[in-house]
Amino acid sequence: MNGENVVLRFGGHNSFFLLQPPTLFHRFRRKKAEALIIPTITETLPQSPHQQQTEGFPHARDIHRNVTTISNLSSYAIATDQAKGDKTEARSRERSIERHSDPLGLNVIYAPEDGVPVADIILVHGLGGTSQKTWSRNRDAQYFWPQKWLPSEPGFEQARILSFGYNAHFASAGRENILNIADFAKDLLFGMKYSVDHASQELALGKAPIVFIAHSMGGLVVKKAFILGQNDNQYRQMLASTNGILFLSTPHRGTNLAELLNRILAVSLFNHSAKQYIAELKQNSPALQDINEQFRNIAPRLQIFSFFETHQTAVGPKKMMVLEKDSSILGYPDEVSKPLDADHHDVCKYSSTQDPNYVSIRNALTSILRRVSKSDSITYDSVTIRADMGSVKTLLAVSSSPEADFEFFQSRRMPGSCEWILQRPTFQSWLKDDSNRLRIIRVHGVPGCGKSILSAYLIELLQSLSHSCQFFFFREGDSTKKTVNSLLRSLAYQIAVQLPELRAQLQQLAEDATRLEKAESRVIWSKVFISRLCRLRLRRPLYWVIDALDECESPQLLLNLILSVTSMQIPLRIILTGRDTEALSTALQRFDSSTLIDHIAADDTKVDLEQYVTHEVRYMRGDRHLQTRIIQRVCDMAKGNFLWVHLVLKEILQCHTEAAIEQVLEELPVELSQLYHRMEATLSRVSRSADRGLSRTILTWVVCSQRALTLEELSEALKPEFSRILDLRLTISQVCGDFVVIDSKSRVEMVHQTAREFLVKTPGLEHSVTPCLGHQNLFMKFEASQSITSYLGKKSKIDAESSPLTHRLQEKEFVELWAVDLVKIVGKFGAQLVKHPGTIYTLVPTFCPATTMISKHYKRNREVNSIVVDGFASQQWDDCLSKFSVGRDCQPLNITCMDRYFVILTSNGTLRLFDTTTNQPWQKIDHGDRVLCFKFSASYQKCVTYGLRETKVWLVKPKRQLHLIANPSHAKALDVAFSGDESALVSCSDDKGIRRCLLDTPNPEWLAVDGDKGFDGGDGSTYNSPRRIAFNSAGTEVAMAFRGFPLLVWDVEAAEVLGRCERDSDRNRRSKQDLYSEVGPICWNPMTSHVLGLYQDGCIFKWHPLDSFSQEVRTVESGIQCSPDGVLFVTSNNDGMLKVWNFQHLTVVYRLSCHSPVIDVTLSANGRRVYDLRESFCNVWEPNALIRLAEADEKSSENSSTMAGSTQGSVAAEELVELSEPLTALDVAPRSKLYCSGDANGAVRLGESNTEVVSQIYQGFMPIEHIAWSHDEDYLVTVDLGGRLILDHRLYQVDLEAEEEPDPSRRPSTTLPMSPDENRDAVDEVFVSNSGSYLILQMSSPAVQRQRTLTYLIVATDDLSGTCRHLARIIGFTKKSLRRPSYGQLSDAELESGDALIFLDHDDWICSIIVRDPLSKDTKITRHFFLPQDWLNTDSLKLATVSNDGRFFCPKNGEVAVVTDWLQYEFAE
């Protein structure tokens, strides 16, 4: 067949008949035909009873799978002989039945006995294949090697093997098949995610490394699935565990047989059809090119083996190569390719375990599995891991690995030493414990006893046992290695290297969060360890080795964090080494009995010491008797201190005579401090005077540096005073003695922390180091160095003559000011910048304060625009970062904040997500009904909305509804939460019922946690409905407040009361009839598990469920929320006051007073911003006080004592920001530049535009309601709320309550409505144009939540009227110059003045329109400028107005902004 003709061979004659497709059906006679012969694709009679199955690319064999079809297309034969036809038809039916018996989807064909696989191997067949017969020689189940042979191979016993089947039956009859490779790939992903095993248990793919084996088109399916999964959050984590792929004859670049096969199917007599997935196999098809282009970007992280066929495949009477080598190989740099001694079909079928082809496949799999097992140890240089860890490394801000410290201490260990710990039963029990619980061993000892070397040995031991081991060495002299923050980030990175599941989750977190380098330790612990690591189903324990805990800045904090996971089922084994201090012992006693804590004293080192001394002394000159005496004397005096031994032996080995050795032995100091004194005295005595300055400088650098310096860095630091040092390494050893060591990485460090302490704390020494003076001297030296001079650059002559220090500070200030500007600009102008980026150069600088960098830079160019903004007393940024309307059709109810977005719940049941950087809308989640409560999971990937009738669970990104659950009809939930592993929901309702919903069941439903028993309080009392409910972050505990009862915390799992919060006044009640203090809003501190709340009698309280007493501060508040990091909390009251509190001390650090009442309030994740809801607006506040507090916390490096002292002291002084009283009236003088405003306190002020001068002319007692100027400006009239009228500064009492009765004889006008009854809407205000030709009526109608919807009606004197849809709010009329149309030359056009209607459009732009024919479709609307987001206040915009000469007035925070010279500027993109 060539696409146009078909050749038939008839009867027993070797005659041929050429048919064209149009005549095929008319001239064809089945009874006279023997076979349909295709020159390139045909069938030969089977040579054995077990005819080979066709997979990959067909050679006209076994194409149809329908058992009811009579025609035998599997051989492309049309039988004339009845017996032959029956035989052929039976074989066809047999193959179809076999195909139907091979299951579709992903199925487990082998699983290890213990059910915990170390790897998952997934097989994917090709075109026309099946999930089992594709891999079986001669279609015999005994040759199904993935099930029969592979599990018995060494290293594969613990691997799970799965096979995936999909409907790629190209010869199926029926209409055209629209499936393509992408559809098969999606089917594979779905099976991997949601399939179950034979016991109906989840496969949980992604927990173990994954390896694919793909034949023919199956390789393309795997590649496409990998590409799709990388871009889908629900599959990305699972596919992150993929380690390798074996491609068996995969047509990466297609084949020329694909097009031919589709043509055959298209003209088939038996209702076959062309297939889209076959069309995609065409050589270099667009689909293949797209797959290859995308796959090459993610392939470097995979280990790829490509096997290709070397034999021709039988196709009818001839043989041919189905796939050439070039199409079977990707050509990637790290790809391994190998030929197989087989044709296209037999590359995946083998005769025995000794078959060379099978051996090649098995060895490739073994190589990948070995690589997987090795990846369980730390391998920072792995190319595959590095490709995945880029975003994780950025998130955790990991600059170096702990390998350098490990190698340093490992190199100092004597072979055979430290093995004494293996004999300790405690250690053996710790090592072999495989339970899901926390176990800790604390190794303690005196300084210098070899604890760090022991740590290095334990790390080496755990790695040799293939355990998942992470470690960290605290170093007090290195600021990057002495904080809990550094430890947590390093451990998280190491675990992510070894656990693909955590790595995938941290990659997701990297997209949703900023760097954690400066995050508070509790935040890192919560986000990485509690919310993610603890929720993984770990198959094996994690082993942590943490050395020198006593050198950590806040060891108690670390122990408290570890204490928080004692109740979780996590197999964690920890070894803590350090000095034995009372504080650490006390902190460890807080762990409950479920945590096994063992103590090992590192004093069993006598054998190690003797071995070390013997090894060192054997190189000393002298007889054996002297060596023995030295060994005995040193070992007797060592007291287990290796450092002491090391320093003493160095001194002994430098002696040249036996007498000198004897003198040293006699004078040996017993204590380490005495030895340091001896070393310092020797150093001062033997060094030259010229070298003492150098030694002091080097010691100062080493002691005072925030981290260890390298030799190269130290050499630069010593310049120019000590330049051209020939050999710095040798110089250091000579002038600094044994106080300083240089490790294998050329880092210069103190020999031990005790040596640093000796030089710092021992005054009067020639080499003493005073850190304060040292830092000052180094700073001054640093500033005067040539490197800083070159850094500042060679400027102009004036700059060269100025002080480099001053110049540098100016540059620093310059950068800092720009940094502040960029943050404020995004907050205040983000919405407009997204739509109109060019305004950053034109309009944005105009509305920035005059002292800001952007204003100074761009306002110099007056050609950009001529707009001037005046009226503000302050020329600095205010605390309001942004203000925006939540929506005109709904009321905001609740707000909460996460890392990358904050969420607002509105009255119509919608969650609106906003980006925390730009404050711009990001996504909407519409529940479809009123939402009673909602909650996000700890990972922020899921959200639950609890409505009146239904509960919905959502995937946030990409947005997708996961579950729909019917709510109990008789109860309303007051709060809802996710379980720790996000597999369940828990709720508490107004009927006191606590319910759980398991999300991993087929039909999730709400079920009572304790059956029908319900909540009883545990004390026999009858509790009423709870008034306040709050779950903790894990959903395991719930705080409940009842009327007449004390606040209590209920343990959901144990179904018991954890504690009751009783005040002293409540304990002293006279009788049981006396009610307890009523509790208002409550919330949890997510880090400390304290409950924060408000008593209705005016108190804030802080209480832990395990404590008997609570702390209280008297203040009247109405709302309370805690920050995610637990450091701050915020309160609000009904007067519009916000207060930010320090949680630890219950002190106010910031207070903001605003007139509008607060609906809800929350804090940002980093504690720098406050978000509140007022009216229909959301305000974003970024106070400088909170920024300074956050920076102080970062600088404190989590030192708990500093947090309680200096850091808090820096913010103990409360910062109060009071916004001015809101303006209630405003009017502009008709002729001059004066304007007058009145506020809610009764103050009347007079101002002048183009100046900041504002004078108070009157102070009343009630809000000013109206202000009006006389036409000649001789009189100014103000009216307050009480009806008091002031005319020309003289008081008159006027009764304004009497209204004139309407004239009943007056007829309704067709131009102006006489009363609200004449119009559906109420007329609120009438605007009259300057010429009197037009009237604009502002009308309003009731809307939701006491709001009103505004509409405008334009009324002309000729009775023409119509609604203007562009208007959001009318500002007024002014005169605007415009060009009169010219019918001659353009230059002849003359200027004329016309009425311009000024209004605010729906995008918050101030616009104008020439009012000549308001109904004309050609009327031009001109945009001039937009209002900043913090100007958008409903009450202020009601007062906004425009003068006759075009000045725009808008109240803002008690002041009047005056915008001039804007009518001439017309905005254009």
Side-chain angles (χ1 to χ4, degrees):
M1 170 183 255
N2 59 8
E4 298 179 355
N5 302 316
V6 176
V7 180
L8 300 181
R9 186 181 65 186
F10 285 86
H13 309 285
N14 291 326
S15 57
F16 297 86
F17 193 0
L18 178 66
L19 298 180
Q20 294 181 349
T23 62
L24 178 62
F25 296 97
H26 300 285
R27 304 180 59 181
F28 177 69
R29 296 292 183 268
R30 176 180 175 182
K31 63 180 181 179
K32 294 184 179 180
E34 175 185 314
L36 176 65
I37 305 300
I38 307 300
T40 57
I41 301 181
T42 187
E43 168 66 272
T44 57
L45 292 177
Q47 302 300 318
S48 65
H50 302 284
Q51 179 63 43
Q52 291 187 6
Q53 180 189 4
T54 298
E55 300 94 7
F57 285 90
H59 56 288
R61 202 185 308 167
D62 199 357
I63 297 180
H64 209 311
R65 292 196 178 187
N66 191 342
V67 296
T68 62
T69 301
I70 299 177
S71 59
N72 184 13
L73 283 179
S74 62
S75 62
Y76 274 84
I78 303 174
T80 55
D81 184 89
Q82 187 64 41
K84 181 184 296 186
D86 292 344
K87 182 177 180 180
T88 304
E89 183 175 344
R91 185 169 68 249
S92 175
R93 293 190 179 204
E94 178 184 357
R95 295 178 185 175
S96 297
I97 292 174
E98 289 175 346
R99 282 199 174 100
H100 283 280
S101 66
D102 280 3
L104 298 176
L106 190 63
N107 298 275
V108 178
I109 58 179
Y110 171 78
E113 294 182 359
D114 61 4
V116 182
V118 298
D120 286 309
I121 302 174
I122 302 177
L123 298 98
V124 183
H125 65 76
L127 180 64
T130 65
S131 58
Q132 295 184 9
K133 296 301 185 292
T134 288
W135 315 98
S136 306
R137 186 175 181 84
N138 294 330
R139 301 164 59 168
D140 189 341
Q142 297 301 319
Y143 291 92
F144 186 33
W145 60 269
Q147 186 183 63
K148 302 297 184 180
W149 305 342
L150 195 60
S152 302
E153 298 286 353
F156 290 87
E157 301 91 342
Q158 291 299 115
R160 181 170 55 182
I161 305 175
L162 310 94
S163 184
F164 174 69
Y166 57 99
N167 189 8
H169 312 158
F170 57 84
S172 57
R175 292 177 297 177
E176 182 176 354
N177 195 313
I178 63 171
L179 294 177
N180 54 27
I181 294 175
D183 296 320
F184 299 144
K186 294 176 183 177
D187 192 15
L188 173 59
L189 290 173
F190 184 88
M192 294 174 65
K193 182 72 174 179
Y194 299 106
S195 294
V196 297
D197 59 15
H198 301 296
S200 298
Q201 299 295 320
E202 288 185 357
L203 296 180
L205 284 168
K207 305 295 184 182
I210 299 174
V211 181
F212 287 98
I213 305 176
H215 175 232
S216 191
M217 190 181 76
L220 304 179
V221 173
V222 170
K223 289 164 63 177
K224 187 65 176 179
F226 204 83
I227 294 169
L228 295 176
Q230 292 295 314
N231 300 318
D232 194 327
N233 289 336
Q234 62 179 329
Y235 300 125
R236 183 184 302 155
Q237 176 182 344
M238 175 181 65
L239 289 178
S241 301
T242 304
N243 283 262
I245 305 177
L246 274 64
F247 292 111
L248 309 182
S249 289
T250 294
H252 298 294
R253 296 171 183 81
T255 176
N256 54 11
L257 297 181
E259 183 177 5
L260 181 58
L261 176 59
N262 250 346
R263 290 183 179 179
I264 295 173
L265 296 175
V267 300
S268 169
L269 303 177
F270 308 104
N271 199 27
H272 298 93
S273 61
K275 306 295 188 290
Q276 185 173 342
Y277 53 84
I278 297 179
E280 291 179 339
L281 299 180
K282 181 181 177 182
Q283 202 162 25
N284 295 322
S285 69
L288 293 183
Q289 292 178 1
D290 180 64
I291 292 175
N292 291 334
E293 183 63 29
Q294 296 185 60
F295 187 70
R296 72 172 61 254
N297 297 323
I298 54 179
R301 53 160 297 196
L302 302 173
Q303 189 171 3
I304 295 177
F305 288 83
S306 295
F307 297 91
F308 56 91
E309 61 201 66
T310 56
H311 291 190
Q312 294 182 337
T313 302
V315 182
K318 56 188 295 187
K319 293 185 176 182
M320 61 182 304
M321 293 296 297
V322 175
L323 280 183
E324 299 295 337
K325 175 182 176 180
D326 292 342
S327 184
S328 301
I329 297 176
L330 290 165
Y332 295 163
D334 297 323
E335 176 189 16
V336 178
S337 60
K338 187 183 184 306
L340 294 180
D341 188 24
D343 61 15
H344 187 73
H345 306 291
D346 289 338
V347 291
C348 54
K349 304 178 181 69
Y350 315 113
S351 58
S352 68
T353 55
Q354 285 75 41
D355 189 323
N357 293 340
Y358 171 79
V359 172
S360 298
I361 301 300
R362 181 200 62 194
N363 291 346
L365 285 172
T366 302
S367 172
I368 296 178
L369 293 185
R370 284 177 179 172
R371 179 187 179 190
V372 169
S373 64
K374 288 182 179 179
S375 69
D376 284 344
S377 61
I378 296 180
T379 53
Y380 286 96
D381 295 328
S382 170
V383 175
T384 299
I385 293 179
R386 280 207 309 268
D388 285 346
M389 293 297 292
S391 59
V392 176
K393 190 172 184 179
T394 301
L395 171 72
L396 299 173
V398 176
S399 58
S400 62
S401 75
E403 289 286 337
D405 293 321
F406 167 59
E407 294 172 357
F408 173 74
F409 291 113
Q410 185 185 38
S411 64
R412 308 185 97 185
R413 188 180 75 87
M414 287 287 299
S417 63
C418 301
E419 295 179 357
W420 55 268
I421 197 172
L422 300 178
Q423 309 305 320
R424 298 291 181 93
T426 299
F427 177 77
Q428 287 295 330
S429 174
W430 176 89
L431 185 64
K432 297 178 181 179
D433 189 354
D434 58 356
S435 63
N436 288 330
R437 60 176 176 174
L438 172 66
R439 287 201 62 173
I440 300 175
I441 287 182
R442 182 189 174 205
V443 180
H444 53 82
V446 298
C449 67
K451 298 182 294 296
S452 296
I453 295 177
L454 176 63
S455 297
Y457 168 72
L458 293 174
I459 296 168
E460 184 179 7
L461 173 67
L462 293 171
Q463 290 181 350
S464 67
L465 296 175
S466 298
H467 290 322
S468 180
C469 175
Q470 298 83 41
F471 53 90
F472 189 82
F473 291 83
F474 281 112
R475 308 294 287 273
E476 188 173 0
D478 192 334
S479 62
T480 63
K481 299 178 182 177
K482 64 180 181 181
T483 66
V484 180
N485 176 296
S486 302
L487 164 77
L488 297 180
R489 289 186 289 111
S490 178
L491 292 179
Y493 185 81
Q494 296 176 61
I495 299 172
V497 169
Q498 302 172 39
L499 292 183
E501 307 97 311
L502 181 63
R503 182 162 66 244
Q505 291 203 19
L506 292 185
Q507 286 175 323
Q508 176 66 33
L509 179 62
E511 298 180 2
D512 300 332
T514 56
R515 288 162 57 99
L516 298 178
E517 181 179 11
K518 295 184 178 181
E520 211 274 338
S521 299
R522 288 182 289 264
V523 175
I524 301 177
W525 182 256
S526 175
K527 289 185 178 181
V528 177
F529 294 89
I530 298 296
S531 301
R532 288 167 174 81
L533 178 63
C534 292
R535 295 175 182 177
L536 298 178
R537 299 177 182 176
L538 299 178
R539 304 185 304 275
R540 297 184 299 168
L542 297 177
Y543 295 85
W544 293 357
V545 179
I546 302 175
D547 181 66
L549 181 60
D550 55 292
E551 297 186 29
C552 172
E553 280 192 346
S554 184
Q556 291 87 355
L557 172 61
L558 175 59
L559 293 178
N560 290 338
L561 295 179
I562 297 175
L563 177 64
S564 65
V565 301
T566 54
S567 61
M568 299 185 179
Q569 297 295 316
I570 176 172
L572 184 58
R573 311 287 175 262
I574 303 177
I575 286 183
L576 304 171
T577 71
R579 307 181 202 180
D580 190 10
T581 63
E582 183 66 26
L584 292 180
S585 299
T586 303
L588 287 170
Q589 290 175 1
R590 296 186 59 190
F591 287 78
D592 55 36
S593 58
S594 63
T595 303
L596 294 179
I597 302 179
D598 302 301
H599 300 266
I600 297 179
D603 53 7
D604 195 2
T605 57
K606 183 177 180 180
V607 177
D608 292 349
L609 266 174
E610 186 174 345
Q611 180 184 0
Y612 174 69
V613 175
T614 302
H615 179 272
E616 293 296 320
V617 170
R618 68 179 178 174
Y619 297 106
M620 186 189 73
R621 294 180 295 276
D623 56 25
R624 184 171 296 274
H625 176 72
L626 177 62
Q627 293 180 357
T628 302
R629 191 151 52 88
I630 293 174
I631 293 173
Q632 183 177 357
R633 181 69 179 275
V634 171
C635 290
D636 290 344
M637 299 180 64
K639 297 182 180 181
N641 195 319
F642 276 90
L643 177 61
W644 184 90
V645 171
H646 169 72
L647 296 175
V648 166
L649 288 179
K650 290 193 69 174
E651 187 172 348
I652 291 175
L653 294 177
Q654 292 176 358
C655 295
H656 300 284
T657 65
E658 187 172 339
I661 294 175
E662 291 291 346
Q663 183 180 358
V664 170
L665 291 176
E666 291 296 329
E667 298 174 355
L668 278 180
V670 179
E671 299 296 334
L672 193 58
S673 60
Q674 297 174 349
L675 182 58
Y676 286 145
H677 272 287
R678 179 187 179 95
M679 290 167 51
E680 198 276 336
T682 302
L683 190 63
S684 301
R685 183 175 62 252
V686 300
S687 61
R688 297 180 304 169
S689 59
D691 293 337
R692 291 172 190 168
L694 176 60
S695 64
R696 283 193 295 267
T697 302
I698 293 176
L699 287 173
T700 301
W701 272 108
V702 177
V703 170
C704 297
S705 296
Q706 292 295 302
R707 62 170 178 81
L709 299 177
T710 64
L711 283 173
E712 182 179 0
E713 291 171 334
L714 182 57
S715 177
E716 289 296 323
L718 294 174
K719 295 177 181 178
E721 184 179 358
F722 302 100
S723 58
R724 298 184 179 180
I725 297 178
L726 300 179
D727 188 342
L728 184 57
R729 185 187 295 267
L730 177 62
T731 300
I732 291 174
S733 64
Q734 291 177 348
V735 303
C736 297
D738 295 321
F739 281 105
V740 177
V741 295
I742 303 173
D743 65 12
S744 59
K745 303 293 185 181
S746 297
R747 297 182 306 175
V748 186
E749 299 181 277
M750 297 299 294
V751 66
H752 196 264
Q753 177 60 27
T754 54
R756 182 190 306 273
E757 295 173 356
F758 171 77
L759 294 179
V760 170
K761 297 180 180 180
T762 308
L765 301 175
E766 187 168 353
H767 294 87
S768 294
V769 177
T770 303
C772 181
L773 295 177
H775 286 301
Q776 181 178 351
N777 293 335
L778 295 180
F779 176 76
M780 297 302 295
K781 178 180 178 61
F782 183 74
E783 290 295 312
S785 66
Q786 294 180 358
S787 59
I788 286 298
T789 303
S790 61
Y791 169 75
L792 295 175
K794 296 179 180 180
K795 304 287 188 178
S796 62
K797 183 177 180 181
I798 297 178
D799 291 334
E801 294 174 353
S802 63
S803 169
L805 180 60
T806 303
H807 187 62
R808 182 175 183 270
L809 292 178
Q810 289 175 348
E811 286 192 346
K812 181 181 179 181
E813 182 184 6
F814 177 85
V815 175
E816 289 177 347
L817 289 175
W818 267 111
V820 172
D821 284 1
L822 293 177
V823 173
K824 298 290 187 180
I825 287 169
V826 172
K828 293 179 181 290
F829 308 102
Q832 300 296 345
L833 287 174
V834 170
K835 300 177 182 178
H836 314 288
T839 57
I840 188 67
Y841 305 109
T842 55
L843 291 175
V844 169
T846 301
F847 292 91
C848 295
T851 59
T852 59
M853 298 304 297
I854 186 171
S855 178
K856 293 177 181 178
H857 182 75
Y858 287 106
K859 280 188 177 179
R860 297 170 188 165
N861 185 8
R862 299 296 294 177
E863 296 180 359
V864 175
N865 68 70
S866 58
I867 301 177
V868 177
V869 180
D870 294 307
F872 297 123
S874 174
Q875 298 300 321
Q876 303 288 338
W877 292 112
D878 55 26
D879 286 348
C880 183
L881 181 65
S882 178
K883 180 177 183 178
F884 58 91
S885 174
V886 176
R888 296 180 173 88
D889 57 345
C890 58
Q891 179 76 7
L893 302 177
N894 182 269
I895 185 169
T896 186
C897 187
M898 285 153 282
D899 284 324
R900 291 290 300 274
Y901 45 84
F902 59 95
V903 186
I904 298 176
L905 171 66
T906 58
S907 56
N908 59 0
T910 301
L911 295 183
R912 304 191 180 195
L913 282 68
F914 297 82
D915 189 283
T916 54
T917 302
T918 64
N919 299 321
Q920 295 307 296
W922 175 61
Q923 193 176 97
K924 285 185 180 181
I925 297 178
D926 188 3
H927 181 84
D929 192 6
R930 178 187 171 192
V931 174
L932 300 178
C933 51
F934 71 97
K935 192 66 68 67
F936 281 76
S937 63
S939 64
Y940 307 145
Q941 297 178 9
K942 296 180 181 178
C943 172
V944 55
T945 54
Y946 193 105
L948 290 174
R949 293 182 294 271
E950 298 170 334
T951 299
K952 297 180 181 181
V953 181
W954 307 82
L955 184 67
V956 178
K957 183 181 179 182
K959 186 183 75 173
R960 182 164 61 90
Q961 182 177 314
L962 300 178
H963 303 283
L964 177 63
I965 308 151
N967 292 340
S969 58
H970 58 281
K972 295 180 180 180
L974 301 179
D975 196 18
V976 65
F978 282 90
S979 63
D981 59 359
E982 302 181 9
S983 63
L985 299 174
V986 60
S987 68
C988 187
S989 304
D990 56 1
D991 64 347
K992 301 180 294 184
I994 299 178
R995 297 174 175 84
R996 181 181 286 114
C997 177
L998 301 178
L999 300 178
D1000 51 3
T1001 57
N1003 298 303
E1005 59 179 334
W1006 287 109
L1007 299 174
V1009 172
D1010 201 17
D1012 297 330
K1013 179 180 178 182
F1015 172 80
D1016 59 3
D1019 58 356
S1021 301
T1022 301
Y1023 284 78
N1024 46 39
S1025 296
R1027 297 177 61 86
R1028 304 285 182 176
I1029 291 293
F1031 280 99
N1032 66 354
S1033 58
T1036 57
E1037 299 172 4
V1038 56
M1040 312 173 72
F1042 299 87
R1043 184 179 181 86
F1045 293 92
L1047 173 75
L1048 60 83
V1049 171
W1050 181 263
D1051 189 317
V1052 177
E1053 299 297 332
E1056 62 182 11
V1057 175
L1058 286 182
R1060 288 182 171 86
C1061 181
E1062 295 187 8
R1063 309 171 76 181
D1064 291 338
S1065 58
D1066 293 333
R1067 292 189 181 94
N1068 299 326
R1069 291 180 305 155
R1070 296 181 179 180
S1071 65
K1072 292 185 178 180
Q1073 283 71 31
D1074 294 338
L1075 298 179
Y1076 283 88
S1077 301
E1078 185 172 351
V1079 178
I1082 54 177
C1083 65
W1084 287 82
N1085 185 315
M1087 294 298 151
T1088 66
S1089 297
H1090 282 81
V1091 177
L1092 284 164
L1094 304 174
Y1095 284 118
Q1096 297 290 55
D1097 60 0
C1099 273
I1100 291 177
F1101 68 88
K1102 177 178 72 173
W1103 169 68
H1104 196 283
L1106 302 181
D1107 295 337
S1108 301
F1109 300 93
S1110 62
Q1111 294 177 259
E1112 295 183 7
V1113 173
R1114 183 156 294 279
T1115 180
V1116 178
E1117 308 292 340
S1118 59
I1120 187 169
Q1121 283 294 333
C1122 190
S1123 64
D1125 61 3
V1127 176
L1128 304 171
F1129 66 92
V1130 61
T1131 61
S1132 60
N1133 62 26
N1134 295 327
D1135 295 330
M1137 175 77 75
L1138 292 180
K1139 295 179 184 177
V1140 179
W1141 303 70
N1142 173 266
F1143 170 79
Q1144 183 177 359
H1145 301 285
L1146 291 182
T1147 55
V1148 176
V1149 296
Y1150 175 75
R1151 179 164 50 177
L1152 182 141
S1153 178
C1154 189
H1155 65 282
S1156 302
V1158 179
I1159 300 173
D1160 196 21
V1161 64
T1162 190
L1163 284 163
S1164 65
N1166 59 11
R1168 293 171 180 249
R1169 294 181 182 177
V1170 182
Y1171 298 83
D1172 70 36
L1173 300 176
R1174 301 171 189 260
E1175 299 175 337
S1176 61
F1177 291 90
C1178 174
N1179 298 281
V1180 184
W1181 309 92
E1182 190 174 55
N1184 293 329
L1186 299 188
I1187 295 176
R1188 291 195 300 269
L1189 176 62
E1191 292 174 348
D1193 287 341
E1194 294 167 0
K1195 294 178 181 178
S1196 70
S1197 300
E1198 303 149 336
N1199 189 322
S1200 58
S1201 62
T1202 305
M1203 285 284 291
S1206 62
T1207 300
Q1208 297 306 333
S1210 65
V1211 295
E1214 172 189 339
E1215 179 169 333
L1216 172 63
V1217 175
E1218 292 189 1
L1219 301 182
S1220 302
E1221 286 295 327
L1223 298 185
T1224 55
L1226 174 66
D1227 195 26
V1228 179
R1231 297 181 178 182
S1232 66
K1233 294 184 178 181
L1234 298 177
Y1235 63 89
C1236 185
S1237 63
D1239 64 22
N1241 273 348
V1244 178
R1245 296 180 179 88
L1246 190 66
E1248 185 176 5
S1249 57
N1250 300 118
T1251 69
E1252 284 75 36
V1253 178
V1254 179
S1255 302
Q1256 182 170 320
I1257 59 176
Y1258 172 72
Q1259 177 64 61
F1261 299 98
M1262 303 189 73
I1264 303 300
E1265 287 287 288
H1266 302 284
I1267 297 177
W1269 293 83
S1270 64
H1271 185 70
D1272 55 6
E1273 298 184 11
D1274 290 340
Y1275 295 95
L1276 176 67
V1277 180
T1278 62
V1279 181
D1280 64 17
L1281 184 62
R1284 181 181 294 271
L1285 183 146
I1286 306 170
L1287 176 63
D1288 194 21
H1289 306 257
R1290 292 188 295 267
L1291 296 182
Y1292 294 89
Q1293 190 71 30
V1294 180
D1295 185 7
L1296 298 180
E1297 295 183 358
E1299 296 182 0
E1300 182 180 354
E1301 295 292 333
D1303 184 359
S1305 63
R1306 179 184 168 193
R1307 296 293 180 182
S1309 170
T1310 58
T1311 304
L1312 267 177
M1314 174 181 171
S1315 67
D1317 295 334
E1318 298 181 26
N1319 193 290
R1320 185 177 60 87
D1321 298 331
V1323 178
D1324 300 326
E1325 194 169 356
V1326 177
F1327 299 88
V1328 183
S1329 65
N1330 293 325
S1331 62
S1333 302
Y1334 298 99
L1335 304 177
I1336 296 184
L1337 279 64
Q1338 176 181 301
M1339 299 170 293
S1340 64
S1341 58
V1344 297
Q1345 298 292 331
R1346 301 184 303 276
Q1347 302 293 314
R1348 299 186 70 85
T1349 301
L1350 299 180
T1351 57
Y1352 295 91
L1353 188 69
I1354 299 181
V1355 181
T1357 55
D1358 56 359
D1359 289 340
L1360 294 176
S1361 62
T1363 301
C1364 184
R1365 299 179 180 179
H1366 298 282
L1367 307 182
R1369 182 172 295 277
I1370 294 292
I1371 305 298
F1373 285 91
T1374 187
K1375 291 291 184 179
K1376 184 179 180 181
S1377 298
L1378 63 156
R1379 290 187 178 275
R1380 180 185 303 161
S1382 173
Y1383 300 96
Q1385 297 181 359
L1386 186 61
S1387 59
D1388 294 335
E1390 298 180 5
L1391 291 176
E1392 67 175 9
S1393 180
D1395 283 341
L1397 171 64
I1398 309 302
F1399 63 93
L1400 182 73
D1401 71 4
H1402 294 289
D1403 292 330
D1404 304 323
W1405 281 76
I1406 295 297
C1407 306
S1408 68
I1409 180 174
I1410 301 300
V1411 185
R1412 287 178 296 187
D1413 185 358
L1415 302 180
S1416 172
K1417 296 182 179 179
D1418 298 328
T1419 301
K1420 178 184 177 182
I1421 296 177
T1422 302
R1423 280 185 167 183
H1424 298 279
F1425 62 91
F1426 56 76
L1427 295 185
Q1429 288 179 283
D1430 55 339
W1431 289 28
L1432 302 176
N1433 179 282
T1434 303
D1435 294 332
S1436 297
L1437 292 177
K1438 289 180 179 178
L1439 301 177
T1441 185
V1442 62
S1443 64
N1444 290 333
D1445 58 358
R1447 288 170 293 143
F1448 172 77
F1449 298 82
C1450 182
K1452 176 183 179 292
N1453 295 337
E1455 298 179 300
V1456 178
V1458 183
V1459 184
T1460 57
D1461 300 333
W1462 55 273
L1463 271 173
Q1464 291 74 30
Y1465 176 75
E1466 297 183 1
F1467 173 75
E1469 291 286 357

